[in-house]
Amino acid sequence: MRRAVCPGSFDPVTYGHIDIVGRAAKQYDEVVVAVLNNISKRGLFSVEEKLDMLSEGTGDFGNVSVAEFDGLLVDFCRDNGIDTIVRSLRSVSDFDYELQIAQMNYRLSGVETVFMTANPQYSFLSSSLVREIAQHSGDVSSLVTPYVQKRLREKYAERSAGQ
Ligand code: ADP
């Protein structure tokens, strides 16, 4: 049984993430999408909201589950019987950052990192750009699922009502 993890912030999940998770799901018996619970870096969405949107977005893949983690990713891998970390590369700048982390994770634990090249259709896409566009009521329908669009609308409506 080969288990892989797709870790990230997913604030919120985009079609770029879903593409990578779906491709990983074809390569491994089980894939866990793991949301980093970073108390020092609060996102737009809570971890619970991110998990909910991820479950909705990856529900069609039969072998994908979602989870949260804090602390070291390699500890999460050890505790969950995972031997591969799947990350994606959109650009050379992604590579510079990812290489160092992948080497450190291997050094710490022997867990391998496998890189998948981003689908060119989504290589310009990031959660931060989605947030930026949605905040200004722009059209994100080709970037995130209808459910995430709805959650973004609600979130920014809540925020403007609270101001
Ligand atoms: P992190 O802050 O850990 O990079 P992200 O949620 O931004 O978290 O990304 C999680 C994973 O998804 C990373 O491997 C990232 O490269 C990948 N990813 C993000 N956006 C895209 C995209 N548009 N296409 C393909 N992969 C993506």
Side-chain angles (χ1 to χ4, degrees), residues 126-152:
S126 66
S127 297
S128 59
L129 277 179
V130 166
R131 294 195 301 274
E132 185 79 23
I133 298 165
Q135 183 175 9
H136 299 288
S137 308
D139 180 7
V140 292
S141 58
S142 61
L143 312 177
V144 298
T145 64
Y147 183 60
V148 173
Q149 275 180 69
K150 176 172 167 284
R151 300 306 303 264
L152 280 162

Side-chain angles (χ1 to χ4, degrees), residues 7-10 14 16-17 20 87-90 94 118 122 125 127:
S9 312
F10 306 104
T14 69
H17 295 125
I20 293 295
R87 295 281 295 177
S88 132
L89 299 173
R90 284 166 291 184
D94 272 355
Y122 300 123
L125 176 53
S127 297

Side-chain angles (χ1 to χ4, degrees), residues 107-136:
R107 176 72 172 263
L108 286 173
S109 66
V111 172
E112 293 284 1
T113 299
V114 167
F115 293 112
M116 285 192 174
T117 51
N119 185 329
Q121 204 182 337
Y122 300 123
S123 58
F124 62 90
L125 176 53
S126 66
S127 297
S128 59
L129 277 179
V130 166
R131 294 195 301 274
E132 185 79 23
I133 298 165
Q135 183 175 9
H136 299 288

Side-chain angles (χ1 to χ4, degrees), residues 34-156:
V35 177
L36 175 62
N37 187 352
N38 186 346
I39 39 166
S40 63
K41 190 179 147 203
R42 278 203 54 184
L44 176 64
F45 291 101
S46 68
V47 171
E48 290 69 28
E49 290 170 324
K50 292 176 185 180
L51 290 169
D52 172 52
M53 289 182 277
L54 274 166
S55 298
E56 191 271 342
T58 62
D60 287 346
F61 308 124
N63 57 343
V64 173
S65 59
V66 301
E68 68 177 286
F69 75 101
D70 51 21
L72 295 179
L73 179 59
V74 292
D75 291 340
F76 177 83
C77 290
R78 185 200 54 224
D79 295 346
N80 291 278
I82 290 167
D83 56 20
T84 308
I85 298 167
V86 174
R87 295 281 295 177
S88 132
L89 299 173
R90 284 166 291 184
S91 61
V92 173
S93 57
D94 272 355
F95 178 77
D96 280 343
Y97 171 76
E98 296 289 342
L99 177 65
Q100 191 182 10
I101 295 175
Q103 289 172 328
M104 180 56 82
N105 282 334
Y106 184 75
R107 176 72 172 263
L108 286 173
S109 66
V111 172
E112 293 284 1
T113 299
V114 167
F115 293 112
M116 285 192 174
T117 51
N119 185 329
Q121 204 182 337
Y122 300 123
S123 58
F124 62 90
L125 176 53
S126 66
S127 297
S128 59
L129 277 179
V130 166
R131 294 195 301 274
E132 185 79 23
I133 298 165
Q135 183 175 9
H136 299 288
S137 308
D139 180 7
V140 292
S141 58
S142 61
L143 312 177
V144 298
T145 64
Y147 183 60
V148 173
Q149 275 180 69
K150 176 172 167 284
R151 300 306 303 264
L152 280 162
R153 272 198 304 276
E154 287 166 358
K155 182 62 79 178
Y156 285 117

